Amino acid sequence: MLKKLMLIPITLISISSGAADNNYAGFSYPNQAQNAISITFDDARHSQVDTGLAILNKHNVKATFYVSPFNVKERLPKWKQAVATGHEIANHTSSHVCTGNFEWLRQLDLSLEETTLQWLENDILSAQAYIKEQLGVTPRAFAYPCGNTFVGRGINTQSYVPLIAKHFDSGRTWLDETANNPNFTDFSQLTGLRIDGMSFGEIKTMLEQLRGNNSWLILAGHEIGKGAQYTTDAHILDQLLRYLNNDRNGYWLGTVSEVADYVEKHRDQITQ
Ligand SMILES: [Zn+2]
């Protein structure tokens, strides 16, 4: 079934662009790395600054934190420290609104099904203003809460991807199955690969499976501590960063905006 589905887009590409599909292969990163990797965490969970920051700083790895103000407020000095040590602070909305199929959101009367693009834009811009005022940086990157990219229902559904493309240099989704082809990917829908709850071996297998096309892999987690469904294990993060930092393994590590800038500058021209 999967094989059958995968054949369809390949056929379409070869019909529509002929030999041009080869343009999406081959890309060079700094230090002759085969792939780029960005480490990202969502929601500004307290454990990210309580536990994670020391691990990242120990390995001198700069992460991208997609934050919501309601959590930043409770650890403001630590988030200022994250900025001071060179990590990227990015936007994850003020209200963290997702599909109302999440019971806790619907009980707060928050759901993408029942909201509008205008409401969402205000929610995103109020997070932007808070981050600018309190942390002194203007986020260039955005992560879609729960990976959802729509508002409304059925025939009235609208994508909010264009809104993100208007205000940010990049937008990242969540729970994706593929990495980003640097010559092809849309910066406003960068894919995100879950590392929460995974062992080092499982993460390594995933990285190996997605090495093709000089892909850019954006790893995404939530809590940092003892591994669970929404927690990246602290010891595994330590092990992973040591592995990724070893030049022999062929990875170039950068924040999302750092890699996005590099990719944009060095990739073939893509028709927008
Ligand atoms: Zn989130």
Side-chain angles (χ1 to χ4, degrees), residues 42-43 45 66 68 92 96 98 143-146 222:
D42 293 5
D43 303 347
R45 308 270 182 120
Y66 295 99
S68 289
H92 198 46
H96 202 282
C98 307
Y144 299 88
C146 310
H222 291 81

